[in-house]
Amino acid sequence: MKATGLVGERHALTCNGRRVPLHPTGNAGEYVAGVRYRAWQPPSALHPTIGVHTPLVFDLVDTWMSRSLGGCQYHVSHPGGRHHDSFPVNAYEAEGRRLSRFLALGHTPGRVEVRAEERNPNFLFTLDLRRA
């Protein structure tokens, strides 16, 4: 993900209530990070004890005021349960399908406390939701 217009110490980005380790790109107020998560759990798969993390709820938190300024939800498939029977016809339809996975509502309301997270030394700029 990429976030622009942030003040480094004041703003934090969270995913499912956990702080995302943002890394500056060199441009003022621009940061990038990655999120690893489990999208679905088929009947036979590795790691049966790790649950599904979707939908992902992203919040932009003002740490000085301890409030969420806004956010969105990301679903792995269509949030209404729609199933597509065919592949997209062109790039516009594919883009439309991707955009339908994001909802601009559903962020965390009220007071939000953001805790500091220990970073994984192998993946410094990735939040791994599969780890406790």
Side-chain angles (χ1 to χ4, degrees), residues 16-89:
N16 290 2
R18 295 178 57 188
R19 187 181 198 120
V20 177
L22 296 172
H23 180 67
T25 62
N27 296 332
E30 185 176 80
Y31 298 86
V32 294
V35 177
R36 289 183 84 177
Y37 63 98
R38 185 163 191 168
W40 53 78
Q41 192 167 12
S44 61
L46 295 174
H47 309 294
T49 59
I50 298 175
V52 176
H53 298 109
T54 57
L56 299 178
V57 178
F58 292 98
D59 287 302
L60 179 62
V61 179
D62 182 349
T63 57
W64 293 357
M65 301 297 290
S66 298
R67 291 227 174 256
S68 175
L69 300 175
C72 68
Q73 284 186 0
Y74 173 75
H75 295 262
V76 175
S77 60
H78 192 280
R82 181 176 180 194
H83 175 69
H84 300 285
D85 295 327
S86 61
F87 290 112
V89 177

Side-chain angles (χ1 to χ4, degrees), residues 106-129:
H107 68 89
T108 308
R111 190 166 183 80
V112 178
E113 293 295 330
V114 180
R115 292 181 277 127
E117 293 241 355
E118 183 179 331
R119 290 191 178 194
N120 185 345
N122 297 324
F123 305 103
L124 291 174
F125 310 119
T126 301
L127 171 64
D128 193 350
L129 292 177

